[in-house]
Amino acid sequence: MTEIETLKADLLSSVEGASDLAALEAVRLDALGKKGRISVQLKRLGALEPEQRKQTGQALNQVKDELAEAISARQKLLEAEALSAQLEAERVDISLPVQQPLAGNIHPLSRTVEEIAAIFADMGFSIAEGPDIETDFYNFTALNIPPEHPARQEHDTFYLRPDAENVRPVLRTHTSPVQIRTMQKEKPPIRIIVPGRTYRSDHDATHSPMFHQCEGLVIGENIHMGHLKGCLIDFCRAFFGVDDLPVRFRPSFFPFTEPSAEVDIGCRRVDGKLEIGAGDDWLEILGSGMVHPKVIENCGMNPDEVQGFAFGMGVERLAMLKYGISDLRTFYDSDLRWLKHYGFLPIDVPALHTGLDEGV
Ligand code: DAH
């Protein structure tokens, strides 16, 4: 065996013997590094006779190529081995049961407000808000309920401590004061709904000292009772999801509207259970009317130039009717079992309404 063949055999067997990538790199440096065994021999070629230089040069270069190939093959093998060892070591047991993340539920009241808002949004209404603590002026006087008006006694008002001028703020007894606040700062046309908390000193299965209402107000030129009726009929049908739901307007009285109407929907009671839709019974669901000229005047507008209609509904009552909840007090118990039963998953796609005409 020539010296070069011996060198080749030796190096190739070192490559085979390299048990990891670091050892392989050491073999490579030993052969091909600056002072490696092949490199050294290549450097010596210059001192040889031309014929021998050619032969030895060819032989050395062949060894160099073969060695490079062997190293690269070994490197691939070692890398593959290292990867499988790593995968083995970092194995994840995907057979373990996943712990279900706890999902919250949407409270039926929030859901009901969302539904009401979506339906009115479709008709071009936006949402307005006002303070829970109101002045007597916004809660009563501006709404055409003067100090000695009997309607004041009907609202079991929570009064707060009098201020420096001996004026007693109130917890708003309805969302109607936001009508006034909106008319004072916005110019017609106005189309708003006002969902919000309201307060009355009352507590039984159908009353809670804090409850929710949703007010509505439309102000513009030539707004008439036909608009009120069309808007509220569309709302009732969309909310209860009954296309031909009978809706009745019954004359009523509110100090801030003239004329006023209470809105009833058709229903029937079967074995003590309420069915909304057909039937020859009626169920009252909201109050409404044409905004009283005095209220329009109180807000600095001329009732000969602009008119409007307003309405107010109890959110709890609508939620109870739609979702078959019998006791109003359970809304505020924060009982998780109740919430799981009556609540809504956030991912539920709200099937809120279909094809309402645009505009009032
Ligand atoms: N504010 C009334 C209440 O609390 C509800 C209401 C009735 C509001 C008629 C209105 C309306 O805007 O026009 O009982």
Side-chain angles (χ1 to χ4, degrees):
M1 229 197 248
T2 65
E3 197 189 336
I4 293 182
E5 280 170 340
T6 315
L7 175 64
K8 175 177 150 186
D10 191 24
L11 288 174
L12 286 178
S13 92
S14 303
V15 168
E16 282 315 303
S19 58
D20 59 28
L21 289 164
L24 186 63
E25 176 63 5
V27 175
R28 193 185 66 78
L29 286 174
D30 179 41
L32 306 169
K34 249 193 194 160
K35 290 184 183 151
R37 288 156 75 186
I38 294 184
S39 314
V40 169
Q41 298 244 23
L42 284 169
K43 272 184 210 149
R44 283 198 205 126
L45 284 177
L48 299 179
E49 293 300 313
E51 189 52 31
Q52 212 194 344
R53 187 191 310 158
K54 191 177 162 199
Q55 268 185 15
T56 314
Q58 269 178 358
L60 277 174
N61 275 319
Q62 210 184 331
V63 174
K64 199 176 149 185
D65 289 349
E66 271 181 55
L67 189 70
E69 216 171 284
I71 289 177
S72 145
R74 182 83 187 146
Q75 184 180 350
K76 279 196 191 118
L77 189 85
L78 289 174
E79 278 173 354
E81 276 177 14
L83 183 63
S84 11
Q86 190 187 359
L87 288 176
E88 190 60 38
E90 296 175 4
R91 172 173 238 146
V92 177
D93 184 356
I94 55 166
S95 67
L96 275 178
V98 177
Q99 206 183 1
Q100 285 298 332
L102 287 175
N105 280 57
I106 306 283
H107 195 285
L109 280 179
S110 307
R111 163 75 181 209
T112 304
V113 169
E114 275 170 28
E115 290 176 19
I116 296 171
I119 296 167
F120 282 109
D122 236 22
M123 294 194 261
F125 284 69
S126 51
I127 292 180
E129 288 183 318
D132 289 17
I133 298 175
E134 263 301 1
T135 64
D136 183 279
F137 174 77
Y138 284 111
N139 197 78
F140 295 119
T141 312
L143 285 161
N144 198 31
I145 316 176
E148 301 314 320
H149 197 286
R152 291 217 180 189
Q153 275 75 59
E154 281 163 31
H155 288 207
D156 304 290
T157 313
F158 285 114
Y159 287 93
L160 279 74
R161 256 189 232 114
D163 62 16
E165 274 126 49
N166 214 25
V167 179
R168 286 184 306 174
V170 300
L171 290 182
R172 66 179 179 189
T173 57
H174 49 181
T175 40
S176 305
V178 186
Q179 284 189 28
I180 307 296
R181 290 182 176 275
T182 307
M183 281 190 270
Q184 280 182 338
K185 62 172 196 274
E186 278 173 34
K187 288 201 165 42
I190 294 172
R191 259 186 230 182
I192 52 148
I193 56 161
V194 186
R197 277 191 279 268
T198 44
Y199 306 84
R200 289 183 202 178
S201 178
D202 223 347
H203 201 197
D204 59 35
T206 52
H207 296 91
S208 147
M210 188 281 297
F211 59 105
H212 298 77
Q213 285 191 342
C214 184
E215 192 79 10
L217 176 71
V218 171
I219 298 284
E221 282 173 26
N222 302 318
I223 299 289
H224 53 71
M225 195 82 184
H227 295 123
L228 177 156
K229 288 183 71 178
C231 172
L232 294 179
I233 291 173
D234 271 359
F235 166 73
C236 294
R237 291 183 173 167
F239 181 79
F240 288 103
V242 182
D243 286 348
D244 56 355
L245 179 69
V247 181
R248 177 174 81 169
F249 292 79
R250 187 167 34 81
S252 182
F253 173 81
F254 299 103
F256 32 88
T257 47
E258 181 58 37
S260 306
E262 241 140 357
V263 181
D264 301 339
I265 56 172
C267 67
R268 118 177 100 203
R269 280 160 241 265
V270 194
D271 304 328
K273 258 193 77 188
L274 185 73
E275 277 177 21
I276 289 169
D280 41 21
D281 225 347
W282 294 99
L283 191 68
E284 179 199 318
I285 61 157
L286 55 93
S288 68
M290 299 307 294
V291 179
H292 199 293
K294 275 199 190 153
V295 173
I296 293 187
E297 260 170 23
N298 289 344
C299 300
M301 289 188 275
N302 182 349
D304 292 331
E305 287 168 9
V306 287
Q307 303 75 34
F309 66 88
F311 51 90
M313 55 189 101
V315 179
E316 279 81 353
R317 182 166 165 77
L318 286 182
M320 286 167 83
L321 290 173
K322 183 161 176 177
Y323 296 115
I325 301 169
S326 55
D327 189 334
L328 176 128
R329 290 167 294 198
T330 57
F331 279 108
Y332 319 107
D333 282 346
S334 301
D335 183 335
L336 279 181
R337 292 162 305 174
W338 183 90
L339 200 55
K340 272 255 163 308
H341 181 76
Y342 287 110
F344 296 85
L345 287 179
I347 52 166
D348 275 353
V349 180
L352 295 177
H353 48 91
T354 45
L356 283 176
D357 287 339
E358 254 200 60
V360 178

